[in-house]
C-alpha cells in the first residue's frame, strides 16, 4: 500500500467488542493510523465535526455515533465512509449519499450464514421438531401422530426477496426438489428453475411455505398483512430471518395462537418478547432470538481469524488506497431499500 490512511471511528460509548478485536486492530495498523474515540455521544457536535472533517476515512458500525448532518454539506478532508457492518441508516443520512461521499457496507458477508439459518428453521418447523423435542423432555416419546409434518420435496415455497441472501437460500433449497417461486420487483435476472410472480398476493396464494429475505424499507414495512396470511393453507410455514417489522406481527401471532399456521422466527418487532409472553410456549413456533446467523463459538472473542465483515472492510480499505472500485457501494436506490 503506497501510503497510510487516516482512519477514525467514533463510538457512541465503548467500542463494540464484536468489531474491535485485537486481530482487527493489528490488520488496520498495516493500513493506516487509527484514531478510536470513545464516548462520542458526550462530545459537543463541533468537536465531532472537527474530528470527522480532519480524517480521510470514517469507520462506522455497531455502536457508532451518528454522523452529523453538516458533514454532507462540508465533509472537509473526509473522502470515504466504510461501514464495517450492515445497517447504514442509523448513522448515515440520505443527504450524505446524495452528496457523493462514498459509503459501503458489509454487502454479502452474512449471506451464507443467514441462508443456512432460514433453511434450518424451515426444516425444523416443517418437521415439527420443536413440539417433538418438548414432548420428549416432558416425559413422552412419540408426539401426537396428528401433527402435520411435511417434506421439502414438492413443497411450494414462496421466497419474498431475491437479493444475495435469497439467492444463497435458493442454492441450499434446490437439491430438495421443492417448487420455488419468488416475489421481488427489483430483480430482473433470476435462475431458470424459479417461477416469478407479480404480487405478494400471488406468492401467498400459491405457497405452502413463505421464506422472507426482503430488506426492511418503507415499501416492505408491514407488507405481510393479515389478508396475505389468510391466503396460506392450514399448517403452512412462515420463516423470517430478515426483519420483524416486515410482518404484521399481531396478525401472525393470532394465526399462530389459533394453531392454523407454523413459524420459524429469528426476528420480531420489537426484537424481543417480554418474559411470560404466550408465544414463548407455543408448540408451532420456533423463536431463535436473532441468533440464527451467529458465527462459530469464538464469535466476539479474540479469534485467530477475522470475521467475514472484517475481511470485506479491509478489502475495501485496500481498494480505496489503490484508487480501485469499492465493493458494495451505497447509492440512493440501495439506501432506500436497505434497513
Amino acid at each position: 500500500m503506497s501510503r497510510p490512511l487516516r482512519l477514525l471511528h467514533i463510538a457512541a460509548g465503548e467500542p463494540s467488542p464484536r468489531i474491535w478485536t485485537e486481530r482487527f486492530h493489528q490488520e488496520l495498523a498495516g493500513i493506516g493510523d487509527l484514531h478510536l474515540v470513545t464516548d462520542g455521544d458526550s462530545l459537543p457536535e463541533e468537536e465531532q465535526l472537527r474530528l470527522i472533517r480532519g480524517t480521510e476515512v470514517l469507520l462506522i458500525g455497531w455502536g457508532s455515533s451518528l454522523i452529523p448532518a453538516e458533514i454532507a454539506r462540508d465533509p472537509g478532508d473526509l473522502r470515504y465512509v466504510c461501514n464495517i457492518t450492515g445497517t447504514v441508516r442509523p448513522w448515515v443520512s440520505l443527504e450524505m449519499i446524495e452528496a457523493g461521499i462514498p459509503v459501503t457496507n458489509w454487502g454479502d458477508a452474512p449471506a451464507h450464514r443467514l441462508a443456512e439459518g432460514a433453511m434450518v428453521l424451515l426444516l425444523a418447523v416443517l418437521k415439527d421438531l420443536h413440539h417433538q423435542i418438548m414432548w420428549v423432555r416432558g416425559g413422552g416419546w412419540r408426539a401426537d401422530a396428528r401433527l402435520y409434518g411435511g417434506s421439502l420435496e414438492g413443497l411450494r415455497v414462496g421466497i419474498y426477496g431475491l437479493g444475495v441472501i435469497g439467492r444463497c437460500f435458493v442454492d441450499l433449497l434446490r437439491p430438495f426438489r421443492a417448487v420455488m417461486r419468488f416475489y421481488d420487483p427489483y430483480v430482473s435476472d433470476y435462475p431458470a428453475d424459479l417461477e416469478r410472480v407479480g404480487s405478494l398476493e400471488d406468492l401467498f396464494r400459491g405457497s405452502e411455505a413463505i421464506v422472507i429475505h426482503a430488506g426492511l424499507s418503507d415499501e416492505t414495512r408491514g407488507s405481510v398483512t393479515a389478508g396475505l396470511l389468510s391466503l396460506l393453507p392450514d399448517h403452512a410455514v412462515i420463516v423470517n430471518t430478515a426483519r420483524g417489522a416486515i410482518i404484521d406481527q399481531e396478525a401472525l401471532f393470532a394465526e399462530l395462537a389459533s394453531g392454523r399456521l407454523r413459524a420459524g422466527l429469528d426476528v420480531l418487532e420489537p426484537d424481543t418478547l417480554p418474559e411470560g409472553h404466550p408465544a414463548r410456549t407455543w408448540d408451532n413456533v420456533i423463536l431463535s432470538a436473532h441468533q440464527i446467523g451467529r458465527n462459530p463459538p469464538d464469535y466476539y472473542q479474540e479469534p485467530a481469524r477475522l470475521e467475514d465483515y472484517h475481511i470485506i472492510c479491509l478489502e475495501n480499505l485496500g481498494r480505496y488506497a489503490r484508487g480501485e472500485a469499492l465493493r458494495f457501494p451505497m447509492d440512493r436506490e440501495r439506501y432506500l431499500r436497505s434497513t
Side-chain angles (χ1 to χ4, degrees):
M1 194 167 294
S2 59
R3 60 185 176 85
L5 301 177
R6 286 176 291 136
L7 309 171
L8 171 69
H9 174 72
I10 304 178
E14 290 296 319
S16 169
R18 300 163 65 181
I19 295 176
W20 299 101
T21 64
E22 182 179 346
R23 174 68 188 278
F24 188 45
H25 275 285
Q26 292 170 353
E27 295 293 331
L28 288 174
I31 292 175
D33 301 319
L34 172 66
H35 183 194
L36 199 156
V37 178
T38 61
D39 297 320
D41 280 0
S42 66
L43 293 177
E45 185 170 296
E46 293 76 13
E47 177 63 10
Q48 290 190 16
L49 289 169
R50 185 191 69 80
L51 289 169
I52 295 172
R53 287 169 176 160
T55 197
E56 183 178 6
V57 179
L58 180 63
L59 301 173
I60 62 173
W62 297 311
S64 289
S65 281
L66 175 71
I67 301 173
E70 287 80 358
I71 291 297
R73 296 184 286 274
D74 178 11
D77 293 340
L78 181 66
R79 295 293 178 268
Y80 172 35
V81 178
C82 180
N83 183 14
I84 304 163
T85 55
T87 302
V88 169
R89 288 195 186 191
W91 306 294
V92 178
S93 67
L94 179 59
E95 288 73 21
M96 284 196 61
I97 304 297
E98 294 176 331
I101 301 170
V103 178
T104 62
N105 74 343
W106 67 9
D108 62 7
H112 291 282
R113 289 185 277 115
L114 290 175
E116 289 171 355
M119 190 70 172
V120 166
L121 289 175
L122 176 59
L123 277 167
V125 174
L126 192 64
K127 302 297 184 181
D128 295 313
L129 285 187
H130 179 60
H131 182 88
Q132 179 66 53
I133 290 168
M134 299 309 295
W135 186 259
V136 171
R137 287 180 179 175
W141 187 238
R142 288 190 176 89
D144 192 332
R146 294 172 296 175
L147 289 176
Y148 192 70
S151 171
L152 291 178
E153 185 172 10
L155 188 73
R156 300 191 305 277
V157 179
I159 301 162
Y160 182 9
L162 199 66
V164 176
I165 300 172
R167 290 172 187 261
C168 287
F169 175 77
V170 166
D171 290 340
L172 292 175
L173 183 60
R174 184 173 286 117
F176 293 90
R177 299 189 295 275
V179 178
M180 296 183 291
R181 307 160 70 244
F182 82 95
Y183 172 73
D184 190 328
Y186 297 99
V187 167
S188 57
D189 64 306
Y190 53 91
D193 56 346
L194 267 66
E195 176 188 351
R196 181 175 197 162
V197 300
S199 68
L200 281 174
E201 288 79 5
D202 289 341
L203 188 72
F204 276 71
R205 186 176 289 109
S207 298
E208 298 166 290
I210 295 289
V211 183
I212 300 173
H213 293 300
L216 180 62
S217 65
D218 292 341
E219 182 180 356
T220 62
R221 184 180 297 274
S223 56
V224 176
T225 62
L228 289 177
L229 293 171
S230 71
L231 299 176
L232 293 171
D234 290 351
H235 311 295
V237 175
I238 294 278
V239 171
N240 189 7
T241 58
R243 286 292 186 267
I246 293 173
I247 301 178
D248 178 341
Q249 189 161 290
E250 183 176 348
L252 176 59
F253 276 12
E255 292 276 21
L256 295 173
S258 73
R260 197 183 78 80
L261 297 180
R262 299 177 286 172
L265 305 175
D266 189 52
V267 288
L268 299 170
E269 181 61 30
D271 204 21
T272 185
L273 278 182
E275 186 176 351
H277 192 286
R280 290 175 177 263
T281 66
W282 294 337
D283 290 335
N284 56 337
V285 61
I286 295 175
L287 302 169
S288 52
H290 215 156
Q291 295 290 300
I292 203 68
R294 66 183 184 270
N295 273 7
D298 60 0
Y299 197 34
Y300 309 157
Q301 306 303 313
E302 292 293 346
R305 59 180 175 76
L306 293 164
E307 300 296 346
D308 41 21
Y309 47 83
H310 289 141
I311 292 170
I312 289 174
C313 170
L314 293 167
E315 179 185 351
N316 263 338
L317 291 175
R319 285 171 173 261
Y320 169 79
R322 295 187 297 270
E324 299 173 1
L326 300 171
R327 297 184 69 195
F328 311 117
M330 281 280 166
D331 57 19
R332 177 185 173 85
E333 181 180 355
R334 185 167 180 241
Y335 181 91
L336 292 175
R337 289 169 52 195
S338 66
T339 302

